[in-house]
Amino acid sequence: NSFNCYLSLRCKGVYRGRLHPYLAEVAVHLQTFVGCDTVLSDDNDISLTLNNQVAISEATYCTRTPDASSEQERNARLHLKRSIQRCVYRLFLLPSVENLLSQFIDAAKKKVVSETTANSKKNQSNHLKVDKDKATDDVEKIREFIDSMQELILEGCEDDLISISQRRDFAALKDDCDNTKRDELFREAVREQVEIEVYVPLRSTISKHLVYAWLNDDVEMKHKTKALSKKPQSFFRIHPEHRSPSEWKSVSTILKEGVGRSTLPCVKLRAIVDAAKEITKLDSEERSYVPEESFFDGKVVTKTKALGADDFLPIFIFCFVRADIERPSALCALLQTMCDPALLNGETGYYLASFYAAMT
């Protein structure tokens, strides 16, 4: 906590005080200290890139080009998202918002600690037991606070966010007629920054609460995944036509790195969606094409069968087992509770339900 406060103060100093001449050098040493080594990307580029990340981001596990028509559009989207996050970050530097957030975080920590202490006194065994319903209620209250802050920023700062998006720097970013893509990016960026401000200081408290509540479930799940980890694809009833020669390694990597090792719930949820989409992409690439005519006929026509919902779930279960995610029951409870309500009825909600089905 002390180190987290120290880093927070140093970051705030960039906006509140005069910049010291050696600030960039201090930043490099801090990144190295926390395990984020900063290196030059190449001889002609003086920009800094992360070499070894501890907090996993999409850039770490996504090896494919995102759904964008060009590299310029992808870069414009990324830079616009970061610009919005910086704008939101500066809102949290306002004294009134800072005090409100500090009071909420302190109250949330005290509530969880008091409940944990009460449970430890009631429990006579060496293992702490936490009621699942109470743990979920506590996390829901945190999510509701995050939801409120998110909606307040999206509504109150809409004109400012639109003004930022209209800069020439982001001209390559293509949008539809009703600005759906733009608004989705606004929501994603604001949600991510609000979670950084609210969830990260409470992460340790929330994690311990959920881990203790779902401890027995995760012990049982660990034995199940260990027994299934060496089973072939046929054991999971994956259709022969959809069995992967690479054993869906890229999908398992996304689940392991993006879901298992990332920090923010919103990033974990995006990784679940990325993993699901990777299944479709990989299946299309690796499919064994059956020629309908021989090469002697001068033409070869390949036939493909689309991946259906009945084919998807067995593959997703196989990838979930191979990913070997730590404490998946507690993790799933976290994601189901912390998910942005606006996303539950879309593809995020659908694939989150698939993740839960794969686990159970």
Side-chain angles (χ1 to χ4, degrees):
N1 289 335
S2 299
F3 183 64
N4 183 53
C5 292
Y6 170 76
L7 287 179
S8 178
L9 287 173
R10 298 285 71 79
C11 292
K12 291 175 182 177
V14 174
Y15 291 93
R16 288 178 170 172
R18 297 180 62 183
L19 298 183
H20 192 277
Y22 295 107
L23 181 63
E25 184 177 347
V26 172
V28 171
H29 288 302
L30 274 175
Q31 288 177 332
T32 302
F33 179 76
V34 298
C36 301
D37 298 331
T38 310
V39 295
L40 293 177
S41 57
D42 55 50
D43 295 336
N44 299 320
D45 188 1
I46 60 173
S47 61
L48 298 177
T49 58
L50 292 179
N51 184 22
N52 295 313
Q53 294 191 1
V54 174
I56 303 300
S57 66
E58 289 98 326
T60 307
Y61 63 79
C62 287
T63 57
R64 296 175 182 273
T65 303
D67 295 331
S69 60
S70 65
E71 185 72 13
Q72 290 78 12
E73 183 179 357
R74 184 171 68 90
N75 290 334
R77 176 184 171 83
L78 176 62
H79 291 308
L80 175 56
K81 179 181 175 181
R82 288 176 176 173
S83 296
I84 294 170
Q85 286 187 259
R86 284 193 292 270
C87 176
V88 175
Y89 173 74
R90 296 179 71 174
L91 290 176
F92 279 93
L93 295 180
L94 296 173
S96 57
V97 179
E98 194 172 35
N99 291 334
L100 174 65
L101 179 60
S102 178
Q103 292 174 11
F104 176 81
I105 290 174
D106 290 341
K109 286 182 178 180
K110 288 178 181 178
K111 186 176 187 301
V112 173
V113 170
S114 63
E115 289 180 356
T116 303
T117 303
N119 287 330
S120 63
K121 290 180 179 179
K122 292 179 182 179
N123 184 28
Q124 301 297 324
S125 63
N126 294 327
H127 297 290
L128 180 62
K129 293 182 180 179
V130 178
D131 183 74
K132 291 181 180 179
D133 292 334
K134 286 185 177 180
T136 302
D137 289 341
D138 290 338
V139 178
E140 279 183 353
K141 289 182 174 62
I142 295 171
R143 194 216 66 225
E144 288 171 358
F145 181 80
I146 292 175
D147 292 343
S148 299
M149 293 296 296
Q150 173 185 277
E151 296 305 324
L152 183 64
I153 293 171
L154 285 171
E155 292 178 12
C157 303
E158 182 180 10
D159 292 340
D160 295 323
L161 299 181
I162 293 175
S163 177
I164 293 172
S165 68
Q166 291 175 342
R167 294 176 182 173
R168 288 186 299 173
D169 298 342
F170 313 122
L173 186 61
K174 298 179 181 179
D175 197 8
D176 40 30
C177 58
D178 56 355
N179 299 316
T180 302
K181 292 182 179 179
R182 184 201 67 188
D183 293 343
E184 287 177 352
L185 182 58
F186 286 174
R187 191 172 197 89
E188 179 183 313
V190 172
R191 182 73 180 198
E192 188 165 322
Q193 191 61 37
V194 172
E195 285 191 4
I196 289 173
E197 302 295 338
V198 181
Y199 172 79
V200 170
L202 293 169
R203 181 191 178 198
S204 177
T205 304
I206 295 173
S207 297
K208 289 179 181 178
H209 214 35
L210 294 176
V211 166
Y212 284 127
W214 272 267
L215 181 62
N216 293 333
D217 301 69
D218 280 326
V219 170
E220 182 181 354
M221 182 61 62
K222 184 176 182 179
H223 291 301
K224 287 182 179 179
T225 53
K226 185 177 180 180
L228 294 171
S229 60
K230 301 299 181 181
K231 298 294 184 181
Q233 297 180 62
S234 58
F235 178 84
F236 295 84
R237 298 181 180 178
I238 298 176
H239 193 279
E241 186 178 354
H242 297 294
R243 291 173 191 168
S244 169
S246 66
E247 297 193 320
W248 310 100
K249 186 176 180 180
S250 60
V251 182
S252 300
T253 299
I254 294 175
L255 289 174
K256 186 176 183 64
E257 301 291 338
V259 181
R261 292 188 58 201
S262 59
T263 300
L264 302 178
C266 63
V267 176
K268 292 177 182 289
L269 288 165
R270 287 203 298 271
I272 291 177
V273 176
D274 291 340
K277 291 181 177 180
E278 176 69 6
I279 289 177
T280 303
K281 293 176 183 177
L282 191 62
D283 178 69
S284 178
E285 290 178 2
E286 293 187 343
R287 182 77 54 81
S288 296
Y289 297 107
V290 181
E292 295 182 344
E293 298 184 41
S294 70
F295 288 99
F296 295 101
D297 297 319
K299 182 177 68 172
V300 175
V301 178
T302 59
K303 57 181 180 181
T304 61
K305 178 185 176 184
L307 189 70
D310 293 337
D311 301 311
F312 170 79
L313 188 56
I315 298 172
F316 201 68
I317 294 172
F318 176 83
C319 296
F320 172 84
V321 170
R322 291 296 179 94
D324 191 25
I325 299 173
E326 292 186 7
R327 304 182 184 91
S329 299
L331 174 61
C332 193
L334 171 70
L335 298 182
Q336 288 178 320
T337 309
M338 288 293 294
C339 181
D340 183 352
L343 302 180
L344 286 174
N345 292 327
E347 65 176 6
T348 300
Y350 176 81
Y351 291 126
L352 177 58
S354 299
F355 184 83
Y356 177 77
M359 186 187 69
T360 56

